[in-house]
Amino acid sequence: EERRHVGYYVGFHPGRNIAVVAFRGTTYLMNWIQDLHYKKIDSNYTECENQAALHPVQESDRNPGVKQAGRQKRRQCRVHSGFYNDWKSVRTDVLTAVKKVLADHPSARVWVTGHSLGGALAALSALDLQVSLRLQETVG
C-alpha cells in the first residue's frame, strides 16, 4: 500500500458534545508532490449520479460563448485526484473512528476542519461522512 502521510485526528469534545475530525496541512515532501496531482477524476458518490439524472449539463453551459446543438452531458462530481486519493487512503479509519464516537455519543454533532491540504481533505470527508453515515448535518 502506498504511504500517503495524511495526518488526522478524530476525537470528542465533551463540553460541546461534538465529534471532531481534523486534518493536518501539507508538511512532508510527499504531501507537496500529492498536492501537484491536480488532474480531476470522477468521485464515486451515488448522490452525484442521482443529481446527474435530475440536472443534466448542457454543452452550451460549459462554453457559454459558443452556440452548440444543445447536447446533454451527465453532471459528474469531479475532484482533485491528489486530494481524493489522500482521503481514500484514510477513509476507512476515519469512518470507523467517527462511528465509534457517535456510538458512544449518539446526540453529538460532527465538526470537520483542516488547514491547507487538510482543508481539502476536510471538505471531501464532510461530504463522505454526511452521505455514508446519513448525518443530518456536518459542520466543515
Side-chain angles (χ1 to χ4, degrees):
E1 177 182 344
E2 181 181 359
R3 182 144 171 88
R4 299 196 66 87
H5 301 284
V6 175
Y8 68 91
Y9 166 83
V10 177
F12 179 72
H13 188 295
R16 294 191 175 200
N17 193 35
I18 296 170
V20 177
V21 182
F23 291 92
R24 177 186 45 75
T26 303
T27 301
Y28 298 104
L29 175 60
M30 180 55 73
N31 295 141
W32 286 101
I33 293 168
Q34 289 159 205
D35 287 354
L36 295 174
H37 292 172
Y38 59 87
K39 179 182 174 200
K40 290 186 179 177
I41 59 174
D42 292 332
S43 65
N44 294 320
Y45 294 111
T46 56
E47 290 301 312
C48 291
E49 290 299 318
N50 295 340
Q51 290 300 313
L54 293 174
H55 307 286
V57 175
Q58 298 292 331
E59 185 63 35
S60 58
D61 293 342
R62 294 187 184 266
N63 301 307
V66 178
K67 297 263 185 203
Q68 297 191 0
R71 218 178 36 189
Q72 290 188 345
K73 286 192 167 187
R74 291 188 55 82
R75 186 179 301 269
Q76 300 171 354
C77 292
R78 298 182 56 79
V79 294
H80 180 289
S81 61
F83 299 155
Y84 188 59
N85 289 327
D86 281 352
W87 165 239
K88 288 192 322 184
S89 76
V90 297
R91 179 185 184 273
T92 300
D93 293 338
V94 171
L95 286 172
T96 300
V98 171
K99 285 177 187 177
K100 180 172 181 355
V101 170
L102 293 177
D104 293 342
H105 309 280
S107 65
R109 293 176 64 199
V110 178
W111 283 12
V112 184
T113 188
H115 169 72
S116 184
L117 166 64
L121 297 175
L124 291 171
S125 70
L127 169 66
D128 203 343
L129 288 167
Q130 194 163 19
V131 170
S132 299
L133 301 180
R134 295 190 171 113
L135 301 175
Q136 295 298 324
E137 174 185 24
T138 53
V139 179

